[in-house]
Amino acid sequence: MHERAWRAIPAWLPAAALLAGTTLAGPMFGGLSRSLFVLGCLACGWYGWRRGPAAHLQVALTLFAFAPFVRRILDVTLGYDQLGLMLVGPLVSLLPAVVDLIRLLESDRGFPRPVGPIVVVGACVVYAAVLTIVQGHWTEAASEGVKWGAPLLYALVLSARADRDELLTAAASAFLVILPIVGLYGIYQYVDPPRWDRYWMEFAPIMSVGYPEPFAVRVFSTMNGPASFATFTMTGLLLVCFLRSGWASLLVVSPAALSLLLSLYRTAWVALLAAVLFSLLFRATRARASAVMIGFAIAAIVVVTATPFADVIMERFSTLSDGSQDDSARERLAQYVELWKSADSTLFGVGFSGEAAIMQFGSLDAIDGMIIAVWVKMGIVVGMVCLSALVWAAANAVLATRRDASTGAVMSAAIACAAMTQIPLANIASAEVGFLFWTFVMIAPPPRLDRVPPRRLGAAVRDGALTPPTGRDRA
């Protein structure tokens, strides 16, 4: 009876209770509430992992979506937290999976999916962390190590333990609840930003959030910036639109699509388009992709003709066709020129230390894009190795569709394609964005037959999850 009652509790419910409880009671505990929140995230992650990988993924998505919002609520009462301690909570919730990783490494079964990209990127992260420690910046080494390392370790375990389609279905169900909330809040934030959002915008070191005034915010909703919100929303829209049947699902997430436009984050717009176009190539997703494109087109027409947001969105769209007049594009080009002129000092990298980066590249106001990020942090040699491993992971996901062209496989590959379009303009390998990339891309390839336990092999082939090897495959 006790076991049945425990199983009856949704895995995400403790996470939702933690978020609500911290929002309401956090100010009474003062600064201690931030540390208690991180510990609570660890407990929620442990509970979710005991329920299984799919349930745990829903817990993690819930925490990543709303932890920054709760942080801002507390900041306006307790004062701005420069370290952003509460943002570590969702990453910490991934760590209970590491216990299973230890068991996997001790066994002789190996990993059923290729994990080479994770190993290579992990080695590059260790290199950057050592560089940072050598300079005496222990705090930054630990912080960035968790941001880069936790998603890697989590994806490593999922690649061995998780069923891809089960994970994708669970994620789509979670996003079906999350997206309407963050979408409606994003619209409200744009029209009349609440005082906790305005307070955070005045202190946050992010230059791309707009102004804390009505109709001047680049929407970041409940998350920690327009880029992370837009990437999170783009991924959720893909999963809901392709894995949930019926037009009702599209209507439910439509506020999130409008908030995505109001984020003014063109990188996510292009990434979403690339993912949908990729889905048109496969029979399993072609009809849905066509319907999604028609739905997006109708929604865009409605937004442009029947809402007060038309001018700002159309102005942003117009910059896609004329990069030479775009300030953001010119700034990124200037960064590449600056780094190329400083080639000697970027041979080995400066590690994760922001202070060291400012000392050597004072003219770089911000590090935008994956290429520049690894170039500065890891140096041109190790950085390019890290970048190649990211492309390797995405290529594995895309090539997996040659063996398995089911909807789940195409969705993982589409997310990989979307991430590749973001590489020049965004960091896709750390924190919440890295969590999305590694989680959904590493589960794409079907398990290799020689690494699947015999008792599961017959069931996997019977269910269509695996294709029996041909004579050429055996050779």
Side-chain angles (χ1 to χ4, degrees), residues 238-288:
L238 275 175
L239 295 178
V240 171
C241 290
F242 282 89
L243 299 178
R244 302 289 299 193
S245 60
W247 286 95
S249 298
L250 300 182
L251 293 176
V252 167
V253 299
S254 56
L258 177 55
S259 286
L260 173 62
L261 291 175
L262 292 175
S263 72
L264 305 182
Y265 189 63
R266 296 161 300 178
T267 304
W269 300 351
V270 174
L272 180 60
L273 177 62
V276 175
L277 291 176
F278 177 82
S279 302
L280 284 171
L281 301 176
F282 299 89
R283 184 173 60 185
T285 53
R286 186 173 297 132
R288 195 66 172 176

Side-chain angles (χ1 to χ4, degrees), residues 164-165 168 242-243 284-285 288 404-413:
R164 181 197 62 215
D165 293 337
L168 291 173
F242 282 89
L243 299 178
T285 53
R288 195 66 172 176
D404 178 6
S406 64
T407 301
V410 175
M411 279 299 95
S412 289

Side-chain angles (χ1 to χ4, degrees), residues 30-179:
L32 180 62
S33 59
R34 293 175 173 132
S35 299
L36 292 175
F37 177 79
V38 175
L39 293 176
C41 288
L42 180 61
C44 290
W46 173 82
Y47 174 74
W49 190 252
R50 286 197 63 187
R51 297 285 300 274
H56 184 272
L57 179 58
Q58 293 184 326
V59 172
L61 289 170
T62 302
L63 292 174
F64 273 111
F66 298 107
F69 171 78
V70 177
R71 174 260 176 104
R72 294 197 295 271
I73 294 284
L74 263 62
D75 277 4
V76 78
T77 303
L78 305 177
Y80 180 73
D81 178 20
Q82 187 73 32
L83 295 177
L85 178 62
M86 294 178 65
L87 301 181
V88 179
L91 292 165
V92 168
S93 74
L94 305 180
L95 296 183
V98 177
V99 176
D100 276 22
L101 177 59
I102 295 172
R103 297 195 189 102
L104 286 168
L105 293 176
E106 290 176 346
S107 70
D108 57 356
R109 280 171 43 192
F111 289 88
R113 292 183 173 96
V115 296
I118 286 183
V119 175
V120 172
V121 174
C124 296
V125 172
V126 171
Y127 170 79
V130 170
L131 281 180
T132 311
I133 292 172
V134 167
Q135 299 171 63
H137 301 289
W138 289 85
T139 301
E140 289 181 285
S143 174
E144 292 296 315
V146 171
K147 288 181 181 179
W148 286 70
L152 283 173
L153 295 174
Y154 185 63
L156 193 59
V157 178
L158 291 184
S159 70
R161 274 208 54 188
D163 177 80
R164 181 197 62 215
D165 293 337
E166 183 183 4
L167 276 184
L168 291 173
T169 300
S173 298
F175 275 119
L176 189 61
V177 177
I178 292 171
L179 289 184

Side-chain angles (χ1 to χ4, degrees), residues 415-455:
I415 291 173
C417 289
M420 288 302 97
T421 65
Q422 293 178 286
I423 278 184
L425 305 170
N427 187 332
I428 67 167
S430 69
E432 62 272 11
V433 178
F435 158 72
L436 293 174
F437 173 77
W438 288 115
T439 295
F440 294 117
V441 169
M442 287 304 298
I443 60 173
R448 292 177 290 189
L449 297 178
D450 58 336
R451 299 296 180 89
V452 179
R455 65 180 179 276

Side-chain angles (χ1 to χ4, degrees), residues 241-441:
C241 290
F242 282 89
L243 299 178
R244 302 289 299 193
S245 60
W247 286 95
S249 298
L250 300 182
L251 293 176
V252 167
V253 299
S254 56
L258 177 55
S259 286
L260 173 62
L261 291 175
L262 292 175
S263 72
L264 305 182
Y265 189 63
R266 296 161 300 178
T267 304
W269 300 351
V270 174
L272 180 60
L273 177 62
V276 175
L277 291 176
F278 177 82
S279 302
L280 284 171
L281 301 176
F282 299 89
R283 184 173 60 185
T285 53
R286 186 173 297 132
R288 195 66 172 176
S290 301
V292 168
M293 292 194 71
I294 293 172
F296 283 165
I298 294 173
I301 293 172
V302 171
V303 169
V304 170
T305 59
T307 71
F309 314 128
D311 291 342
V312 66
I313 294 174
M314 289 303 297
E315 181 182 354
R316 195 66 170 171
F317 263 117
S318 66
T319 61
L320 290 172
S321 60
D322 191 1
S324 63
Q325 301 300 318
D326 180 45
D327 292 338
S328 180
R330 289 200 298 267
E331 287 173 5
R332 286 183 170 89
L333 181 59
Q335 288 180 344
Y336 284 106
V337 173
E338 179 66 25
L339 284 172
W340 184 255
K341 290 191 299 185
S342 306
D344 291 341
S345 59
T346 57
L347 183 60
F348 300 105
V350 298
F352 294 129
S353 171
E355 180 181 332
I358 292 173
M359 289 177 62
Q360 292 203 23
F361 312 105
S363 60
L364 295 182
D365 296 328
I367 297 178
D368 292 321
M370 198 71 230
I371 300 173
I372 294 178
V374 297
W375 193 347
V376 171
K377 298 174 189 294
M378 303 173 183
I380 192 169
V381 177
V382 177
M384 291 307 104
V385 171
C386 180
L387 201 63
S388 299
L390 293 173
V391 176
W392 179 13
N396 282 344
V398 173
L399 293 176
T401 57
R402 298 173 62 184
R403 290 179 56 194
D404 178 6
S406 64
T407 301
V410 175
M411 279 299 95
S412 289
I415 291 173
C417 289
M420 288 302 97
T421 65
Q422 293 178 286
I423 278 184
L425 305 170
N427 187 332
I428 67 167
S430 69
E432 62 272 11
V433 178
F435 158 72
L436 293 174
F437 173 77
W438 288 115
T439 295
F440 294 117
V441 169

